[in-house]
Amino acid sequence: TKNVYLFPVPVAKIVAPASGILCSNKAVSFGNNSTIVTGNFGNLWNMGDANVKTTKTVNHMYAGPGTYKVKYKAISDFGCFSYDSVNVVIVTSPMADFTVGPACDLSPTDFTNTTTGVGTTTPTYAWNFGDGNTSGAMSPSHQYADLGPKSVKLNVSLDNGCKDEITKMITVRTQPTVDFDVASGCFDKPLPFDNKTTFKTGNINYKWEFGQGAISNIADPVRTFTGTGTQTFNVTLTAD
């Protein structure tokens, strides 16, 4: 006479979201309604994209759009098991991003939209420049009137219902209006340069280029030119 032991088999039952759009930039939540009469059971998920999970419930983000078959195995302490599976359809989603050119108070700031994941959808862009102004352009330019930090937000919505947004901080800085006066003079005599550059606030760095390889970084320099006859020198002032 031999004893035969029979152990309960778990009943595998997993639950995928029943409604709503599943976007590739959001984690998908899978529920687990599996049961067993007595004892415990373990969990083994194959997410359909080469990823494996062992928790009872799963939150999983897929790397891209497509149809994924999720397979689940419930395994009892004694090795008894059962399977369940479900298909999920993931649609393409945007990954919002942008770059920013120099932000100055006298010239427009250029925003370059570098959003990915749009695919063949029709995107809608919503910019908030952080100063009460907005734009719906893909890559807009915006003229700031005030200096200081600005919180710039880009929201991207696709016609399949998926969306994403990103916020970046920028600082609008003072931009000088460069100007100077100088009178004609004589060789080998000091010639003063009158810096008339204007700017709203802060400190400005200057770079004078006089020709003959001579430079200066002071605001109002004096330069002595050398030479003979009558010559013309191109003098450049850069302020930043």
Side-chain angles (χ1 to χ4, degrees):
T1 301
K2 293 184 177 181
N3 294 325
V4 177
Y5 297 96
L6 300 178
F7 301 104
V9 177
V11 178
K13 180 61 177 177
I14 58 175
V15 181
S19 62
I21 298 169
L22 303 181
C23 301
S24 60
N25 64 349
K26 304 294 182 184
V28 181
S29 296
F30 294 89
N32 193 336
N33 292 335
S34 302
T35 59
I36 191 170
V37 175
T38 58
N40 300 309
F41 61 89
N43 309 279
L44 181 63
W45 299 76
N46 185 322
M47 307 310 299
D49 61 354
N51 282 283
V52 174
K53 310 284 187 179
T54 57
T55 54
K56 183 175 182 179
T57 59
V58 168
N59 289 321
H60 183 65
M61 182 180 292
Y62 288 92
T67 299
Y68 298 89
K69 185 172 185 177
V70 180
K71 299 177 182 178
Y72 170 78
K73 183 179 182 181
I75 312 167
S76 76
D77 292 337
F78 297 97
C80 301
F81 58 85
S82 66
Y83 293 98
D84 194 15
S85 64
V86 64
N87 290 332
V88 292
V89 178
I90 308 298
V91 298
T92 190
S93 306
M95 296 295 289
D97 200 6
F98 62 90
T99 59
V100 187
C104 304
D105 61 338
L106 298 182
S107 299
T109 300
D110 294 326
F111 295 87
T112 301
N113 194 329
T114 57
T115 298
T116 58
V118 172
T120 59
T121 65
T122 301
T124 299
Y125 302 107
W127 295 83
N128 186 317
F129 298 114
D131 63 350
N133 290 285
T134 60
S135 174
M138 179 178 178
S139 296
S141 293
H142 178 62
Q143 177 65 66
Y144 284 99
D146 300 320
L147 302 176
K150 312 293 178 186
S151 177
V152 180
K153 180 185 294 184
L154 169 61
N155 182 286
V156 183
S157 300
L158 306 185
D159 56 1
N160 64 9
C162 295
K163 60 184 178 180
D164 191 30
E165 71 177 27
I166 187 172
T167 300
K168 294 184 179 183
M169 294 297 300
I170 68 170
T171 300
V172 180
R173 305 187 184 279
T174 189
Q175 181 177 0
T177 300
V178 179
D179 193 15
F180 67 89
D181 280 341
V182 62
S184 297
C186 302
F187 285 119
D188 302 316
K189 299 292 184 181
L191 193 63
F193 287 80
D194 183 13
N195 192 336
K196 293 184 175 296
T197 299
T198 59
F199 53 94
K200 286 184 178 180
T201 186
N203 298 314
I204 293 293
N205 298 315
Y206 298 105
K207 181 181 180 181
W208 296 83
E209 297 176 83
F210 300 106
Q212 297 182 323
I215 62 173
S216 176
N217 299 115
I218 66 176
D220 297 285
V222 176
R223 168 66 181 160
T224 299
F225 291 90
T226 60
T228 59
T230 300
Q231 298 185 40
T232 300
F233 293 85
N234 291 321
V235 178
T236 302
L237 170 59
T238 303
D240 58 21

